[in-house]
């Protein structure tokens, strides 16, 4: 009935902060009770006066560019972008969403993403896009994967991040910046 965020004290009518609920990590299904549970994982409080974001379109050709994605029944499903804090990260350490109490073994050095967004079709424009918002200024690595079907919000699943492997991009976001990164089959971040 209540969710407390340690170390956070907000006052009434204070609109300088946003509480971001990243449901890919915060919302968990409990099979035993057939209920969903909201946890503190994936919830962050961000100062709106400094928050940055990354937005972009994604070329649908990426959805089935290579196996195993080329074998998906519906190429439009299970396409996500993952955002990790930092630059020059070892590609082998980029991981899917997991918590420290994962039922599966977590490889040494595995990095859980800071934020995740599903690639969705905007019915008004017909463009596939993503938005990663309410980000503190700093260094980030963005990676696209076309095969996130098995990404459980609690357990490490070994989902390949990035897929295609060359779909990784680095950013340094400044305060209030809106970075535009359109993903295409050729590994480049196109700012239109």
């Amino acid at each position: 009935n209540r969710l407390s965020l340690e170390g956070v004290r907000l006052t009434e009518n204070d609109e300088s902060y946003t509480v971001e609920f990243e449901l890919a990590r915060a919302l968990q299904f409990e099979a035993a009770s057939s209920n969903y549970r909201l946890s503190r994982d994936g919830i962050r409080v961000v100062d709106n006066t400094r928050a940055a974001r990354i937005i972009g379109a994604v070329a649908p050709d990426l959805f089935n560019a290579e196996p195993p994605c080329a074998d998906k029944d519906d190429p439009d499903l299970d396409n996500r972008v993952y955002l990790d804090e930092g630059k020059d990260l070892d590609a082998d350490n980029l991981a899917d969403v997991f918590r420290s109490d994962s039922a599966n073994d977590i490889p040494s050095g595995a990095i859980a993403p800071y934020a995740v967004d599903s690639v969705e079709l905007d019915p008004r424009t017909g463009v596939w896009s993503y938005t990663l918002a309410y980000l503190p200024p700093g260094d980030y690595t963005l990676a696209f994967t076309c095969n996130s079907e098995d990404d459980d919000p609690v357990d490490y699943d070994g989902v390949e991040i990035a897929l295609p492997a060359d779909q990784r991009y680095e950013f340094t976001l400044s305060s209030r910046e809106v970075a535009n990164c359109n993903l295409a089959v050729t590994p480049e971040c196109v700012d239109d």
Side-chain angles (χ1 to χ4, degrees), residues 91-120:
D92 293 335
N93 290 337
L94 299 182
D96 55 70
V97 177
F98 67 88
R99 294 188 349 195
S100 59
D101 62 347
S102 170
N104 301 328
D105 289 338
I106 302 168
S108 176
I111 303 168
Y114 180 77
V116 179
D117 193 34
S118 295
V119 177
E120 300 289 339

Side-chain angles (χ1 to χ4, degrees), residues 1-12:
N1 296 335
R2 191 171 112 182
L3 179 69
S4 62
L5 301 172
E6 294 176 20
V8 177
R9 177 175 229 111
L10 303 176
T11 59
E12 188 175 340

